[in-house]
Amino acid sequence: MSNTSDVETYEALYGQLQAVVNRLEQGDLPLAEALMLYEQGTRLADACQKLLDHAELRVQELRSNEVYPDLDLEA
């Protein structure tokens, strides 16, 4: 999440994931629809996790630069 676009993307994906979870929790779904929603939820959760992992790496990178501001970690 290195820019606003990543944050907006995460928020959108997370909102979609919440909608899928809410629908599954309501129950009374045909099996085929429940499986489709479960698969969609898994894909959304994976995409959210990748964005969070990227954000964590970025934070670690920024913190390293604070501790060693003259050290070029990009090289």
Side-chain angles (χ1 to χ4, degrees), residues 7-8 11 14 16-17 22-23 29 31-33 39 43 46 48-51 58 64-65 68 75:
V7 172
E8 291 169 356
E11 295 297 331
Y14 188 73
Q16 291 173 27
L17 179 58
N22 288 337
R23 184 67 183 110
L29 295 172
L31 180 59
E33 186 177 351
E39 290 171 355
R43 287 191 302 272
D46 288 344
C48 286
Q49 189 60 53
K50 286 179 184 175
L51 288 169
R58 182 70 179 128
S64 294
N65 286 336
Y68 304 105

Side-chain angles (χ1 to χ4, degrees), residues 16-75:
Q16 291 173 27
L17 179 58
Q18 286 180 311
V20 167
V21 169
N22 288 337
R23 184 67 183 110
L24 286 168
E25 287 179 343
Q26 289 175 0
D28 297 328
L29 295 172
L31 180 59
E33 186 177 351
L35 286 172
M36 184 216 41
L37 285 170
Y38 182 83
E39 290 171 355
Q40 181 183 7
T42 301
R43 287 191 302 272
L44 289 166
D46 288 344
C48 286
Q49 189 60 53
K50 286 179 184 175
L51 288 169
L52 289 174
D53 291 344
H54 181 262
E56 182 179 10
L57 289 173
R58 182 70 179 128
V59 168
Q60 289 174 356
E61 185 178 285
L62 291 170
R63 292 183 79 201
S64 294
N65 286 336
E66 288 176 9
V67 175
Y68 304 105
D70 296 331
L71 182 62
D72 183 11
L73 297 176
E74 299 289 326

